[in-house]
Amino acid sequence: MKILVVGAGATGGYFGAMLARAGEDVTFLVRPARAAALRERGLRVVGRDEEWTVEPRLVTAGELREPYDLVLLSVKSTGLDRAIEDVAPAVGPDTAVIPLLNGLAHIDALNTRFGAPAVLGGVAKVVTTLDDSGAIRRLAPLAHLAFGEQDGTVSARVERIRKLLDGAGIDAPVPAAILTAMWHKWVFITTFGAVTSLMRGTVGEVYDAPGGPALGPALLDEASAVAAAAGHPVPEEERAATLAVVSAPGSPMVPSLYRDLAAGRPTEVEHLFGELTARARALGVATPLLDLATLHLRVHQRRADGV
């Protein structure tokens, strides 16, 4: 199976590197600067008592000439429109596209551009980051890639892809309803992002402050209410897992959104928060804390954009 990984960052780069290490036919679509660094140093994975490197096959925009069997799309939502156009030559009538973005708006964009039959749902759960050298650093053992057809069918191509991922050592569950799984990840990431971004601190710094323990549960209640109104209620075990992350005394955890915010970089505010609060309005769900987090991030975004 010919595989194209769009982006070689912390998420797509990790899963692509796992596939390449397993001997699969993997090519990474990257920007010229990232291509130059990868050609010089290789694609390195470090942390969690491991360190290994693959020599990746690379392509840049404009060099794609033929369709691939599988496209793993792992970019920030701010780069989604450009990535869709860049990858278009690689998407043929038999190509399966698995996006690894959070939220749901990208599914609509991909369905419009490539047709819904080409697009699967995807949920990546991996705790990685790019370090200063450009290596992918694993920060926790969690690493799985859930995916599936949008209609929940366990198709022959889903089985082929699952076998491929399993063979590379990637935990690849196929949920009964991948769109529901995507909603649940959306609830988690907005709760986690709002706790840290609103208070400008780590989970532990927020939780350990007077009044802090109440914030995580309140934000989770709001996000969960939106998901439930949309027909995707969050099971109690998933709520408990989210609370364990966002309500942990002394925890140094922060999401990538917070790291972007603290560094003055653009964030995925509209894709994650703007879209969720807009759906909340349409569904008649009140989300005052999430509205506040959205406004906070929008003010930052305007500053980052030079407005």
Side-chain angles (χ1 to χ4, degrees):
M1 184 176 286
K2 287 184 59 179
I3 305 162
L4 182 68
V5 179
V6 184
T11 300
Y14 175 75
F15 290 120
M18 289 284 287
L19 287 162
R21 186 171 68 159
E24 299 297 340
D25 183 356
V26 181
T27 300
F28 293 86
L29 174 61
V30 293
R31 303 289 177 223
R34 181 67 166 150
L38 291 172
R39 289 189 179 106
E40 179 182 348
R41 303 172 184 170
L43 182 55
R44 296 176 57 239
V45 176
V46 299
R48 304 296 303 173
D49 297 322
E50 63 179 328
E51 181 171 349
W52 47 275
T53 302
V54 296
E55 300 301 326
R57 183 184 299 116
L58 305 172
V59 66
T60 56
E63 295 178 343
L64 292 173
R65 295 289 182 267
E66 58 187 14
Y68 284 71
D69 300 308
L70 173 63
V71 173
L72 293 181
L73 181 64
S74 180
V75 297
K76 293 281 191 181
S77 63
T78 50
L80 178 62
D81 291 343
R82 181 175 176 181
I84 287 174
E85 294 310 311
D86 287 348
V87 79
V91 180
D94 298 317
T95 302
V97 180
I98 302 180
L100 302 181
L101 291 79
N102 293 313
L104 280 164
H106 60 281
I107 293 291
D108 293 336
L110 290 165
N111 286 348
T112 298
R113 183 64 176 82
F114 301 122
V119 183
L120 286 73
V123 175
K125 294 184 179 181
V126 60
V127 188
T128 52
T129 188
L130 286 185
D131 67 19
D132 292 340
S133 73
I136 297 166
R137 184 168 294 276
R138 288 192 69 192
L139 305 176
L142 177 66
H144 84 184
L145 195 169
F147 72 102
E149 301 284 358
Q150 293 184 54
D151 64 3
T153 302
V154 182
S155 62
R157 69 175 178 176
V158 163
E159 293 289 5
R160 288 196 302 271
I161 295 168
R162 174 162 55 183
K163 183 177 180 180
L164 175 88
L165 296 172
D166 285 345
I170 297 170
D171 181 20
V174 177
I178 188 61
L179 295 181
T180 294
M182 293 173 68
W183 262 101
H184 295 169
K185 174 71 182 298
W186 198 5
V187 167
F188 167 77
I189 203 67
T190 48
T191 301
F192 190 15
V195 166
T196 53
S197 298
L198 267 178
M199 298 298 106
R200 291 294 186 117
T202 67
V203 164
E205 289 172 332
V206 176
Y207 187 88
D208 294 339
L215 182 60
L219 282 161
L220 177 57
D221 284 345
E222 288 188 5
S224 296
V226 183
H232 304 279
V234 181
E236 188 54 43
E237 60 269 23
E238 291 211 29
R239 285 179 53 88
T242 296
L243 284 175
V245 172
V246 303
S247 300
S251 171
M253 292 286 287
V254 294
S256 61
L257 180 139
Y258 175 81
R259 290 193 291 269
D260 288 338
L261 176 68
R265 295 189 294 263
T267 71
E268 297 183 287
V269 53
E270 296 303 334
H271 191 78
L272 295 177
F273 287 86
E275 177 74 11
L276 186 66
T277 54
R279 292 190 186 221
R281 299 293 81 74
L283 293 165
V285 178
T287 54
L289 289 172
L290 287 171
D291 292 346
L292 184 62
T294 304
L295 176 59
H296 178 67
L297 289 165
R298 281 173 170 162
V299 170
H300 165 81
Q301 188 69 34
R302 286 171 62 85
R303 187 180 298 125
D305 290 342
V307 177

